[in-house]
Amino acid sequence: MHRPTWVEIDLHALRHNLLAIQRKVGPQIKIMGIVKADAYGHGDYEVSRILLKHGVAMLGIAILEEAIQLRDKGIQAPLFLFGGIFEEQIDDVIHYNVTPSVYDLKLAGVLSKRAQYFHKTVSVHVYVDTGMGSIGVRHDKAVAFVKSLQEMKNLSVDGIYTHCSCSDEKESAYTNLQISRFRDVLARLEVAKIPIPLRHMANSGAIIGYPDAYFAMVRPGLSLYGLYPSDGVSRDIGIRPVMCLKTRIIHIKEFEPGDVVGYGRAHVVTKRTSVATLPFGYNDGYNRLLSGQGFVLIRGIKAPIIGRVCMDQCFVDISHMQGATVGDEVVVYGQQGQESISIESVAKQLNTIPYEVTCNVSKRVPRSILEMRMESGLRQV
Ligand SMILES: *Cc1c(COP(=O)(O)O)cnc(C)c1O
């Protein structure tokens, strides 16, 4: 038996979300599935397998180590690395057949030389900074940059892309400015007779709100996992959460007025209270700021977290519940009966974004992969 605190990953919901995104952007647009950060905490290998099975063109990762792990597990699909690399990593980029971003001439030069040494041609995508301000060549220097790349014989410039800073805001003038800067670079490359086929820009926010940002390929991350980047985006795309965090009641005790719950005497009981101990805490990624603030679901009813969240456990008041017992399933993020605790609502409580909430579920929490419900019945993946 694995630890009674676990994450359920609903691969059926993942597939549903991918298809919803494909429907939204149209069948002619390719999809790069973003699986960086262990697929936002969902498990990059299982997620990658489902995405590839349902037709994504590439997988996007942030750091080279993530690519190496996926290759080691047997993923052979094109892997796109959008984070920066150091010169020392170039041989691994070539060896593991990763498509890197290029944004610096010196680095690109070394990449080409090393590729020549290994008798290879490396496929690269140019990263144009249209206003995100991270790595990337400034948009007004991009055309000259691409021209210089033409001289590097062992690089194949197959793609060009940019990244949105504000696409989680509705009708953002800044996003439209980024789109027009990118279009301008592409137009000037056409004039210079350097057409680059794979043009991409849109993250989840832009997929939802900025069809002008679709180009040849889109790069959904958060929306694949069934979450919306902000309250400011429209919700008509029809996605649903993939992650559910669960635990079980490990102990129940009656507290008398004056009794203390947890560290720092942060919660002192004022009336007879039934308290359940749950075997998860901040080391599992449940933020300590949820002390006295968060809720969980037990028997389909909300139960408040009382006292401080500990490293490995926390406490909930279940006085208002009939018949809760040790072993009862507890939903921390997700749905139970008619009630639900959304990852977005927890993010809001923590004054952060849903991305951080799922990424923070720690590696100590086992991921349980829910079977795909196929037309032919249940099937183990
Ligand atoms: C993380 C990331 C994405 C995906 O963003 P979401 O908002 O999760 O859809 C796309 N492109 C790049 C370059 C990224 O870093």
Side-chain angles (χ1 to χ4, degrees), residues 22 46 52 61 87 108 115 127 159 192 268 280 296 298 303 347 360 373:
Q22 186 78 70
E46 293 292 348
L52 290 168
I61 34 88
E87 269 183 43
Y127 185 4
V268 181
F280 79 102
V296 299
I298 300 170
N360 274 354
R373 276 161 284 148

Side-chain angles (χ1 to χ4, degrees), residues 34 36 40 82 161 163 202-205 219-223 229 355:
I34 304 300
K36 65 189 172 195
Y40 295 33
F82 42 75
Y161 77 105
H163 192 43
N203 55 1
S204 294
R219 303 190 308 264
L222 195 72
S223 51
Y355 302 74

Side-chain angles (χ1 to χ4, degrees), residues 27 29 68 139 148 162 176 179 184 202 221 227 329 355:
I29 309 271
I68 294 174
H139 60 99
S148 311
T162 189
N176 288 323
I179 294 171
D184 185 51
L227 303 170
E329 189 168 292
Y355 302 74

Side-chain angles (χ1 to χ4, degrees), residues 154-227:
N154 291 70
L155 299 188
S156 171
V157 183
D158 297 330
I160 184 164
Y161 77 105
T162 189
H163 192 43
C164 299
S165 160
C166 304
S167 63
D168 59 340
E169 298 167 14
K170 241 184 205 157
E171 288 154 33
S172 130
Y174 194 72
T175 303
N176 288 323
L177 174 66
Q178 286 195 275
I179 294 171
S180 70
R181 282 173 173 168
F182 191 47
R183 276 195 195 285
D184 185 51
V185 170
L186 298 177
R188 282 188 287 140
L189 285 171
E190 292 281 346
V191 170
K193 302 253 175 323
I194 318 176
I196 303 178
L198 259 185
R199 306 152 166 210
H200 48 106
M201 174 169 195
N203 55 1
S204 294
I207 288 167
I208 293 167
Y210 299 85
D212 285 350
Y214 291 171
F215 299 97
M217 181 159 72
V218 294
R219 303 190 308 264
L222 195 72
S223 51
L224 284 173
Y225 308 109
L227 303 170

Side-chain angles (χ1 to χ4, degrees), residues 245-362:
L245 175 59
K246 294 181 174 177
T247 185
R248 286 187 197 285
I249 296 177
I250 203 162
H251 187 65
I252 294 175
K253 201 158 51 187
E254 301 305 316
F255 283 60
E256 300 297 336
D259 285 350
V260 159
V261 181
Y263 283 120
R265 298 201 301 168
H267 187 89
V268 181
V269 166
T270 53
K271 58 182 188 331
R272 207 153 190 273
T273 305
S274 199
V275 178
T277 302
L278 307 179
F280 79 102
Y282 61 78
N283 186 50
D284 299 301
Y286 195 71
N287 199 302
R288 197 167 164 280
L289 293 173
L290 291 163
S291 300
Q293 302 291 324
F295 288 89
V296 299
L297 300 175
I298 300 170
R299 298 189 170 229
I301 298 171
K302 275 191 175 167
I305 305 275
I306 54 172
R308 290 192 185 145
V309 174
C310 307
M311 185 186 288
D312 313 296
Q313 53 190 344
C314 60
F315 315 99
V316 289
D317 184 343
I318 56 164
S319 310
H320 56 304
M321 251 171 235
Q322 299 289 316
T325 58
V326 168
D328 275 1
E329 189 168 292
V330 179
V331 168
V332 184
Y333 308 147
Q335 187 155 3
Q336 191 184 54
Q338 301 304 310
E339 282 282 0
S340 77
I341 295 174
S342 71
I343 286 164
E344 284 108 330
S345 69
V346 175
K348 201 173 295 170
Q349 266 189 310
L350 292 169
N351 196 22
T352 184
I353 49 177
Y355 302 74
E356 195 182 9
V357 175
T358 64
C359 285
N360 274 354
V361 176
S362 75

